[in-house]
């Protein structure tokens, strides 16, 4: 059972704000990267603040299969857990077959290449605190581009499958130019739920890049792990997040935990700390709930409109 004895206790006022949140970025295990909790424990952790749902992300495999294998353990768990697939080399890269399997088994999300993206590989060529598997996973760089410089047929087909299923497509850790091309293709093919992760970490998207992706219908995600003092890197100041919210607007911003790593705070501990900080810095309760409840529910397919 998950040990939360050292976890912070939210005030009744904060609990009211957090009630019904949806976390789209939970890194529970199993995973080649060391994890602090498994998917069942993540469900119970989420119940501490009465979350509506969580989305389990792995850089290495289809998490829907995990959840189905844990079905008996999860049947009495308090918070519904959903899965998806990240298109890294472990699943064949930008692989429509991997996406089709994920969708058929009930997946709610497809992430573009993360640890296999060239942008990620270049950003993490030195020790910056990003977790490692502790062994060689034979990863190779994956791309959305064909040799002739156009979006590859495989990437186009991925967007078509995502659109047909009505699920979420994230740009993963692709560079901004690749992500813009992927999102433009996705919009053309009818994808309604698009997500840009941490534009100021790894992606290094410019303000113009973000504005273009917003025009394609993307939401912009920021991660609590990057603003929590117990997480060593990148250690962004909370004012940076406040500035992003003011720039993009709460209507198109989502805030998720990106927690579950072995040495980091629990996902809910991230919510308790970061959301209180936002409130203390003047972000309105209704705007917080837009970002952690309504927008995230829409992206997970729990609501038809944000």
């Amino acid at each position: 059972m998950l040990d939360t004895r050292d976890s912070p206790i939210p005030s009744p006022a904060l609990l009211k704000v957090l009630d019904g949140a949806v976390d789209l970025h939970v890194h529970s295990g199993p995973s080649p990267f060391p994890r602090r909790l498994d998917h069942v424990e993540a469900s119970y952790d989420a119940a501490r603040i009465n979350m509506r749902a969580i989305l389990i992300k792995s850089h290495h495999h289809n998490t829907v299969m995990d959840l189905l294998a844990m079905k008996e353990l999860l049947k009495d768990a308090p918070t519904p857990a959903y899965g998806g697939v990240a298109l890294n080399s472990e699943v064949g890269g930008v692989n429509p077959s991997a996406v089709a399997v994920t969708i058929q088994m009930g997946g709610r999300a497809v992430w573009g290449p993360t640890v296999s993206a060239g942008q990620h590989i270049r950003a993490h060529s030195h020790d910056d605190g990003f977790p490692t598997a502790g062994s060689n996973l034979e990863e190779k760089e994956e791309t959305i581009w064909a040799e002739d410089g156009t979006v590859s047929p495989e990437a186009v087909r991925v967007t078509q499958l995502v659109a047909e299923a009505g699920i979420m497509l994230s740009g993963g850790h692709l560079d901004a130019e690749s992500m813009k091309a992927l999102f433009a293709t996705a919009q053309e093919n009818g994808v309604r739920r698009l997500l840009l992760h941490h534009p100021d970490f790894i992606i290094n998207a410019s303000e113009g890049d973000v504005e273009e992706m917003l025009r394609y219908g993307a939401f912009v995600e920021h991660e609590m792990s990057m603003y929590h003092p117990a997480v060593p890197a990148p250690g962004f100041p909370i004012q940076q997040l406040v500035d992003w919210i003011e720039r993009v607007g709460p209507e198109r911003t989502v805030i998720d935990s990106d927690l579950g790593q072995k040495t980091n705070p629990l996902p809910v501990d991230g919510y308790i700390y970061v959301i209180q900080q936002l409130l203390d810095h003047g972000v309105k309760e209704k705007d917080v709930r837009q970002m952690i409840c309504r927008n995230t529910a829409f992206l997970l397919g729990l609501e038809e409109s944000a």
Side-chain angles (χ1 to χ4, degrees):
M1 186 59 67
L2 190 65
D3 186 356
T4 60
R5 287 175 295 180
D6 294 330
S7 293
I9 299 174
S11 67
L14 180 58
L15 272 175
K16 185 177 178 181
V17 176
L18 297 174
D19 183 70
V22 176
D23 190 353
L24 299 177
H25 206 144
V26 177
H27 281 300
S28 47
S31 167
F33 288 166
R35 298 306 187 205
R36 183 171 175 179
L37 71 175
D38 64 29
H39 307 330
V40 178
E41 291 170 323
S43 173
Y44 281 92
D45 181 53
R48 292 164 50 207
I49 56 172
N50 195 35
M51 279 192 174
R52 183 176 178 185
I54 58 175
L55 177 64
I56 310 297
K57 179 181 180 182
S58 170
H59 295 291
H60 307 100
H61 68 286
N62 174 348
T63 58
V64 183
M65 300 307 196
D66 292 351
L67 298 173
L68 291 173
M70 295 178 175
K71 187 175 181 180
E72 283 301 305
L73 295 172
L74 284 165
K75 69 179 181 180
D76 296 322
T79 310
Y82 298 90
V85 67
L87 301 181
N88 293 309
S89 59
E90 289 85 352
V91 300
V94 182
N95 179 5
S97 180
V99 172
V101 169
T102 300
I103 291 169
Q104 182 170 320
M105 302 307 288
R108 293 291 185 97
V110 174
W111 293 273
T114 58
V115 293
S116 291
Q119 185 79 354
H120 179 101
I121 293 167
R122 289 186 290 274
H124 295 296
S125 59
H126 57 282
D127 183 12
D128 62 354
F130 197 87
T132 62
S135 61
N136 183 7
L137 298 181
E138 304 293 338
E139 284 175 341
K140 64 184 184 69
E141 184 173 339
E142 302 292 347
T143 180
I144 66 154
W145 300 109
E147 290 185 3
D148 64 0
T150 61
V151 175
S152 70
E154 293 81 8
V156 172
R157 184 58 184 149
V158 164
T159 66
Q160 292 169 341
L161 290 167
V162 168
E164 291 165 8
I167 63 174
M168 183 182 82
L169 176 65
S170 154
H173 294 180
L174 291 170
D175 63 274
E177 290 304 313
S178 297
M179 202 178 305
K180 288 187 293 185
L182 179 65
F183 284 0
T185 303
Q187 184 191 52
E188 290 172 6
N189 287 325
V191 177
R192 297 174 53 236
R193 309 177 204 273
L194 289 169
L195 185 60
L196 159 63
H197 293 295
H198 42 69
D200 46 3
F201 180 68
I202 301 177
I203 312 302
N204 293 328
S206 69
E207 190 169 326
D209 292 330
V210 174
E211 289 175 356
E212 182 173 340
M213 286 186 253
L214 288 169
R215 290 196 295 272
Y216 296 135
F219 288 75
V220 181
E221 181 191 80
H222 299 280
E223 294 76 9
M224 296 170 188
S225 61
M226 300 182 188
Y227 296 90
H228 198 292
V231 180
F236 292 148
I238 197 69
Q239 187 60 47
Q240 184 167 320
L241 179 53
V242 174
D243 292 344
W244 271 109
I245 294 167
E246 292 176 350
R247 186 180 309 133
V248 172
E251 299 80 11
R252 298 291 288 280
T253 299
V254 299
I255 307 173
D256 296 304
S257 74
D258 189 14
L259 288 168
Q261 302 87 351
K262 184 71 172 179
T263 59
N264 284 346
L266 293 169
V268 163
D269 293 354
Y271 274 82
I272 293 170
Y273 176 81
V274 173
I275 298 306
Q276 185 62 62
Q277 287 290 304
L278 289 177
L279 295 170
D280 291 346
H281 279 72
V283 179
K284 296 178 180 178
E285 289 185 8
K286 68 178 182 64
D287 291 339
V288 169
R289 289 189 58 77
Q290 181 73 41
M291 295 183 288
I292 68 172
C293 299
R294 288 184 282 277
N295 293 348
T296 47
F298 169 72
L299 287 165
L300 194 54
L302 303 179
E303 303 285 358
E304 280 308 304
S305 59

